[in-house]
Amino acid sequence: MSKVFQRWALLPAAIVPVLLVAGCDVGGDRTQAMKAAVTPTGPYTRSPSPTGTATAAGQPRGAVESYFNALKAGNVDQIVSLFTGNAVVELDGEATAEGTKAIRSLYQQQLQGATDLVSAVHTIVDVRTVGGESAVVRSGSKQGDARFRELFLLGKEGGKWKISEFMNNQSS
């Protein structure tokens, strides 16, 4: 199965849960929105677990937690190493960054002078794997007064989970 087809196959698994909880924010009451959530059918494996639990190395959740840890540490090299070579990053209010060079530049700009990242709170909301080779991770973050929703698409590269697409936006 081609990588492009895999990404398109992940789209419904990624978008449906996001649409179901649209408008919900980190720390808010998601119970009403989540009551409408339906477990998808097909080759999906859902692994919800509370943030802060021990994460097995080499799992999609671990890759996203490593991203958040590198972000808090302001370590651009580590952040970039967590993405595939042809990854796409779409941060709220920024131009789309495609590929390693553009992603490095974007994060260097984002982290320059950023002091509130250390106190940011990140919550992984949902982890779904598709066929053992692709995964979707949804999360929410609170940074000062700003709240964000994040969506990660991951794939295996060299036997390790890497982020192939990342998008965030500020929640209302």
Side-chain angles (χ1 to χ4, degrees):
M1 184 182 304
S2 75
K3 292 238 183 233
V4 172
F5 181 77
Q6 286 177 342
R7 288 182 181 170
W8 279 104
L10 281 172
L11 200 56
I15 292 177
V16 170
V18 172
L19 292 174
L20 288 172
V21 295
C24 296
D25 57 334
V26 176
D29 181 9
R30 288 190 191 88
T31 54
Q32 187 61 39
M34 292 307 289
K35 285 178 185 174
V38 175
T39 302
T41 59
Y44 306 109
T45 303
R46 188 173 182 190
S47 59
S49 59
T51 302
T53 60
T55 301
Q59 297 298 317
R61 181 184 181 94
V64 172
E65 287 176 347
S66 293
Y67 167 80
F68 286 133
N69 291 335
L71 191 64
K72 283 182 153 191
N75 189 332
V76 174
D77 290 334
Q78 188 177 3
I79 291 169
V80 173
S81 75
L82 297 166
F83 287 91
T84 62
N86 62 347
V88 176
V89 175
E90 297 175 319
L91 297 181
D92 190 39
E94 298 293 333
T96 300
E98 296 184 47
T100 302
K101 186 177 178 182
I103 291 170
R104 178 177 301 282
S105 177
L106 174 66
Y107 280 100
Q108 285 172 334
Q109 175 191 348
Q110 289 291 308
L111 296 174
Q112 192 172 37
T115 57
D116 57 346
L117 289 175
V118 175
S119 62
V121 176
H122 306 285
T123 305
I124 294 178
V125 176
D126 192 24
V127 178
R128 295 174 190 229
T129 57
V130 181
E133 294 295 318
S134 299
V136 177
V137 178
R138 284 187 310 113
S139 63
S141 298
K142 183 175 184 220
Q143 188 176 330
D145 289 334
R147 295 174 189 268
F148 294 91
R149 295 176 287 207
E150 296 101 6
L151 184 65
F152 297 85
L153 298 182
L154 298 95
K156 285 195 175 175
E157 185 176 270
K160 294 182 179 181
W161 286 100
K162 298 262 187 160
I163 302 165
S164 59
E165 297 188 36
F166 170 58
M167 174 185 276
N168 83 348
N169 68 350
Q170 199 162 2
S171 56
S172 53

